[in-house]
Amino acid sequence: MLTLPSLRVDPHVAVTACAAPREASRSAFTAEFGGNAHATIEDLAADPDVEAVYIATPHQMHRDHATILAKGGKHLLIDKPLAVSMADADAIVEACDAAGVHLITGPSHSFDQPVLAAREMIASGRFGKVRMIHGLNYTDFLYRPRRPEELDTAQGGGVIFSQAVHQVDVIRLLMGTRATHVAAMTGAWDPDRPTEGAYSALIGFEGGAFASITYSGYAHYDSDVLQDDIGELGTAKDPAAYGKARKALATVSSPEEEAGLKSTRTYGASEAPPLAPHAEHFGPVIVSCDRADLRLTPKGIEIWGDTEKDFIPAPPEPSPRAAVLEGLYHAIRSGQPPAQSGGWGRASLEICHAILESAETGAFVGLKSQTQHQSKEEPVA
Amino acid sequence: MLTLPSLRVDPHVAVTACAAPREASRSAFTAEFGGNAHATIEDLAADPDVEAVYIATPHQMHRDHATILAKGGKHLLIDKPLAVSMADADAIVEACDAAGVHLITGPSHSFDQPVLAAREMIASGRFGKVRMIHGLNYTDFLYRPRRPEELDTAQGGGVIFSQAVHQVDVIRLLMGTRATHVAAMTGAWDPDRPTEGAYSALIGFEGGAFASITYSGYAHYDSDVLQDDIGELGTAKDPAAYGKARKALATVSSPEEEAGLKSTRTYGASEAPPLAPHAEHFGPVIVSCDRADLRLTPKGIEIWGDTEKDFIPAPPEPSPRAAVLEGLYHAIRSGQPPAQSGGWGRASLEICHAILESAETGAFVGLKSQTQHQSKEEPVA
């Protein structure tokens, strides 16, 4: 639903088929797009009209779906996180490798225009090295309607797999080097929603740079006040909506009723949101370089230099998620995939697991499966 | 110089004597206050007109000065950090204990009115437990004029001893329980100023709560923009002063010249700043409790509740540093010291050392000398 507005307007995308278990979704699809609405992944994998598939199914289903589709020769865009377990991530990367198809992990907020623009500024060398990055985000994530497995860490629930992966993707892209080790503390303090809802983590990088990320999905405070009052999806916040998630949840009496509330937001059950006017974002990010600090906002990049300040508006784009679709297009048509490959997604997932492990064991966790995006020679998974 | 404006107006304080090696400082003192301007600590310790002494000498001198003054029966207010080494901190606490004098560690930003007010709100129980605290601060600390030892970590230089100790004090006071373990990463990325200038640290507390603190003293970004454009000392920032510290430092050609620049800010060499109109602060702090997030600003406390927002202005006070002088006064006159005792200061110093050790070893560091301030029975050091 969140990527649909961008799919509709992208000149390089023709939506030709879908797979959905719900009849309502399939009917809505054929009514809007025509084409083929399949009931199973296998049928979609065999559809000759399909060149690439966007897998937006629940995390724990990614492996099965990706494996079937890769065998069918489809290029894949897989929603973050790539999978829940590292074994599943490995299997997905291997399946795409074996089939010779492109695999991109996204959309994630590392595709946001201000993040990509900041990465280019950093790569130009004008600010010197990146030394430290700080990101924070305070949301009501844990109180939005959830399916039961979204509140069970073992099934990929909680904020580490869904939310930390965004912050990790963003800082990895900005840093440009390989992450080396992680220390973290997590919080799971609402017994009615028994999964991690908050964390703070430190991530070390090659060369001694480090990042710190802090997230609360229990938040009352809304860090979007630091982002021009623009929400994660690039739209202006409604001040009258304060406390909306908690208020709505207070009217729900069972997990089934809550899951029902969530399914009303599925394709075919309600309208997709309109195309957002601003870039998406994932909370304030400050990048400290030798000769400047860069502060990312949904409107662009504040450059705080040695003696002067400047503001560079984010480049205009047709939709907030244009970059990920552009990435998929260039991978398939020009063989030039974006940084966010399968191996990239696996590396971010490894950091999510390291956050959980560090918090559990009270020890730093070393990383083994990290990639960096600077090299154009990075193999496509 | 920074505490002087508050000393001048405090109704419980009569400034009767000083000790200073510089003749200019002593002359200025007697011209302003009359009384006794001593050239040595020993003479000050023997002065019968002196009941309590504020020790604002460089960190590494605290032990010698405190020991002499405690033996003379003087109550002590010692600038943070209490000392550089834990052995010195132990010796100071023991000397004051043996002499039966009160020892208070301060001023630190844990005495700021919004911090004290937030602590009382939290202690009332209306928001439930404190689960997570986040603090950040971006300053040009490392580029202000420094004496050579302030750029040498072994002598107590760098941002860990001077700056982390503030953040640690603030979060310990807000949290209200004992800290248990620390993980940290630090940055020392300017070879011309070879000491830690930045850090991010995680601090665990009894009961599973945790805090994250991030600081850059290399910063171009100024986090006071998040604090109503009010600086650390409670005065409005001058937008035209952007980059001032770096620009001034660029004109300096030797460590001696730089130290000379700093000494022009010593008592007797220039005017003390005027009394600040707002509370002091040490960067944005967000306290996440079960039923509200509290955001501290120099003007008061934003309360972000389950369904409503509120703002509680900080209680008016005669000067930003009134609380620490009030604490000293009540300790001496009523036997009721503030939380920030000698043992308290030693505990915050232990966390500073743990930050350095964790960053050095890449391991979590357990804490052994922690206090909490909730207990009124906490022994006075």
Side-chain angles (χ1 to χ4, degrees):
Chain A
M1 285 291 266
L2 300 178
T3 304
L4 192 54
S6 302
L7 289 170
R8 282 179 178 141
V9 299
D10 197 285
H12 297 132
V13 173
V15 182
T16 60
C18 78
R22 295 163 47 90
E23 167 54 28
S25 296
R26 293 197 299 273
S27 311
F29 179 87
T30 44
E32 176 169 3
F33 298 105
N36 310 319
H38 303 286
T40 69
I41 297 287
E42 287 78 2
D43 289 349
L44 181 65
D47 187 332
D49 290 348
V50 172
E51 193 172 9
V53 176
Y54 170 35
I55 300 183
T57 51
H59 318 326
Q60 68 275 22
M61 298 180 183
H62 287 180
R63 178 183 180 162
D64 285 351
H65 295 170
T67 308
I68 293 165
L69 290 162
K71 280 187 187 154
K74 310 306 182 197
H75 301 292
L76 298 180
L77 171 64
I78 305 187
D79 221 3
K80 58 79 215 165
L82 183 57
V84 177
S85 73
M86 288 302 289
D88 280 4
D90 289 342
I92 293 169
V93 171
E94 283 162 24
C96 291
D97 249 350
V101 298
H102 287 289
L103 165 56
I104 294 165
T105 311
S108 86
H109 286 288
S110 65
F111 285 99
D112 295 346
Q113 207 58 39
V115 177
L116 296 172
R119 167 83 309 248
E120 282 185 29
M121 287 181 192
I122 292 164
S124 78
R126 63 186 268 216
F127 305 126
K129 289 189 181 170
V130 180
R131 303 296 190 165
M132 181 172 101
I133 301 180
H134 179 60
L136 73 150
N137 204 1
Y138 281 65
T139 77
D140 57 11
F141 179 85
L142 214 66
Y143 296 104
R144 298 175 201 155
R146 296 290 164 206
R147 296 184 303 270
E149 75 266 23
E150 291 180 289
L151 300 174
D152 177 7
T153 309
Q155 296 186 66
V159 299
I160 307 300
F161 292 109
S162 282
Q163 303 288 282
V165 70
H166 280 300
Q167 284 189 314
V168 166
D169 257 21
V170 168
I171 61 163
R172 287 182 60 219
L173 195 89
L174 293 168
M175 199 67 88
T177 52
R178 283 186 184 82
T180 51
H181 59 304
V182 170
M185 298 186 187
T186 59
W189 63 69
D190 183 344
D192 291 338
R193 324 274 288 173
T195 183
E196 292 78 19
Y199 59 83
S200 287
L202 310 178
I203 306 174
F205 285 80
E206 285 173 344
F210 60 93
S212 63
I213 50 177
T214 285
Y215 186 94
S216 172
Y218 300 109
H220 304 82
Y221 177 69
D222 181 351
S223 55
D224 290 341
V225 297
L226 308 179
Q227 298 287 77
D228 301 313
D229 289 310
I230 293 168
E232 177 181 350
L233 300 175
T235 53
K237 286 262 187 161
D238 173 10
Y242 185 78
K244 192 178 164 190
R246 278 187 170 83
K247 285 175 196 162
L249 200 60
T251 68
V252 164
S253 57
S254 72
E256 295 72 28
E257 196 179 331
E258 184 177 340
L261 202 60
K262 174 153 192 174
S263 73
T264 62
R265 303 189 321 191
T266 305
Y267 184 67
S270 69
E271 284 294 306
L275 208 56
H278 301 288
E280 298 194 2
H281 74 90
F282 203 70
V285 173
I286 306 166
V287 184
S288 298
C289 306
D290 287 323
R291 290 185 292 279
D293 291 357
L294 310 183
R295 162 94 155 78
L296 281 57
T297 84
K299 294 184 179 172
I301 299 158
E302 297 172 3
I303 300 176
W304 298 67
D306 275 347
T307 56
E308 284 181 3
K309 282 192 280 189
D310 200 0
F311 181 77
I312 308 295
E317 52 178 347
S319 78
R321 297 190 174 188
V324 64
L325 300 177
E326 186 90 353
L328 178 64
Y329 175 77
H330 282 300
I332 298 172
R333 286 286 178 273
S334 330
Q336 294 183 325
Q340 297 91 336
S341 64
W344 170 278
R346 180 171 53 185
S348 289
L349 180 66
E350 185 191 25
I351 293 177
C352 295
H353 281 284
I355 288 172
L356 288 170
E357 184 184 336
S358 177
E360 174 77 21
T361 61
F364 278 63
V365 175
L367 302 170
K368 300 177 188 75
S369 303
Q370 294 301 299
T371 64
Q372 63 182 31
H373 76 284
Q374 289 172 315
S375 166
K376 289 290 179 195
E377 285 73 46
E378 186 181 320
V380 179
Chain B
M1 285 293 267
L2 300 179
T3 304
L4 191 55
S6 302
L7 288 171
R8 282 178 178 142
V9 299
D10 197 285
H12 297 132
V13 172
V15 181
T16 59
C18 77
R22 294 163 48 90
E23 166 56 27
S25 297
R26 293 198 299 273
S27 311
F29 180 88
T30 44
E32 175 172 1
F33 297 105
N36 310 316
H38 304 287
T40 69
I41 297 288
E42 287 77 4
D43 289 346
L44 181 65
D47 188 331
D49 290 346
V50 173
E51 193 172 8
V53 176
Y54 170 35
I55 300 183
T57 51
H59 317 325
Q60 69 276 23
M61 299 179 180
H62 287 180
R63 177 181 179 162
D64 285 351
H65 295 170
T67 307
I68 293 165
L69 290 163
K71 279 187 188 155
K74 310 305 182 196
H75 301 292
L76 298 179
L77 172 64
I78 305 186
D79 221 3
K80 58 79 214 166
L82 182 58
V84 177
S85 73
M86 287 302 288
D88 280 3
D90 289 342
I92 293 170
V93 171
E94 282 161 24
C96 291
D97 247 350
V101 297
H102 287 287
L103 165 57
I104 294 165
T105 311
S108 87
H109 286 288
S110 65
F111 285 99
D112 295 346
Q113 208 59 34
V115 177
L116 296 172
R119 168 85 302 252
E120 283 185 29
M121 287 181 191
I122 291 163
S124 77
R126 62 186 270 216
F127 304 126
K129 289 187 181 171
V130 179
R131 303 295 191 164
M132 181 171 102
I133 300 180
H134 179 60
L136 73 150
N137 204 2
Y138 280 65
T139 77
D140 57 11
F141 179 86
L142 214 66
Y143 296 104
R144 299 174 200 157
R146 298 287 165 207
R147 297 184 304 269
E149 75 265 25
E150 292 180 287
L151 300 175
D152 177 6
T153 309
Q155 297 186 67
V159 299
I160 307 299
F161 292 110
S162 282
Q163 303 288 281
V165 70
H166 280 301
Q167 285 189 312
V168 166
D169 257 20
V170 168
I171 61 162
R172 287 181 62 219
L173 195 88
L174 293 168
M175 199 65 91
T177 51
R178 284 187 183 82
T180 51
H181 59 305
V182 169
M185 298 186 186
T186 59
W189 63 69
D190 183 343
D192 291 337
R193 324 275 286 171
T195 183
E196 292 78 19
Y199 60 84
S200 287
L202 310 178
I203 307 174
F205 285 81
E206 286 174 342
F210 61 93
S212 63
I213 51 179
T214 285
Y215 186 95
S216 172
Y218 300 110
H220 305 81
Y221 176 69
D222 181 350
S223 55
D224 290 341
V225 298
L226 309 179
Q227 298 287 76
D228 302 312
D229 289 310
I230 294 167
E232 176 182 350
L233 300 176
T235 53
K237 287 261 187 161
D238 173 10
Y242 185 80
K244 191 178 165 190
R246 277 184 170 86
K247 285 174 198 164
L249 200 60
T251 67
V252 165
S253 58
S254 72
E256 295 71 29
E257 196 180 332
E258 183 177 341
L261 203 58
K262 173 152 190 173
S263 74
T264 62
R265 304 190 321 190
T266 305
Y267 184 68
S270 68
E271 283 295 305
L275 208 55
H278 301 288
E280 297 194 1
H281 73 90
F282 202 70
V285 173
I286 306 167
V287 185
S288 298
C289 305
D290 287 321
R291 290 185 293 279
D293 290 359
L294 310 182
R295 162 94 153 80
L296 280 57
T297 85
K299 294 184 178 171
I301 299 158
E302 297 172 2
I303 301 175
W304 298 67
D306 276 346
T307 55
E308 285 181 1
K309 282 192 278 186
D310 200 1
F311 181 77
I312 308 295
E317 51 179 349
S319 79
R321 297 192 173 187
V324 64
L325 300 177
E326 186 90 353
L328 180 64
Y329 175 76
H330 282 300
I332 298 173
R333 286 287 178 272
S334 330
Q336 293 183 323
Q340 295 90 338
S341 65
W344 170 279
R346 180 172 53 184
S348 289
L349 181 65
E350 186 191 25
I351 293 176
C352 294
H353 281 284
I355 289 172
L356 288 170
E357 184 185 336
S358 176
E360 174 78 21
T361 61
F364 279 62
V365 176
L367 302 170
K368 299 177 189 76
S369 303
Q370 294 300 299
T371 64
Q372 62 182 32
H373 75 286
Q374 290 173 315
S375 166
K376 289 292 181 195
E377 286 74 42
E378 187 181 319
V380 180

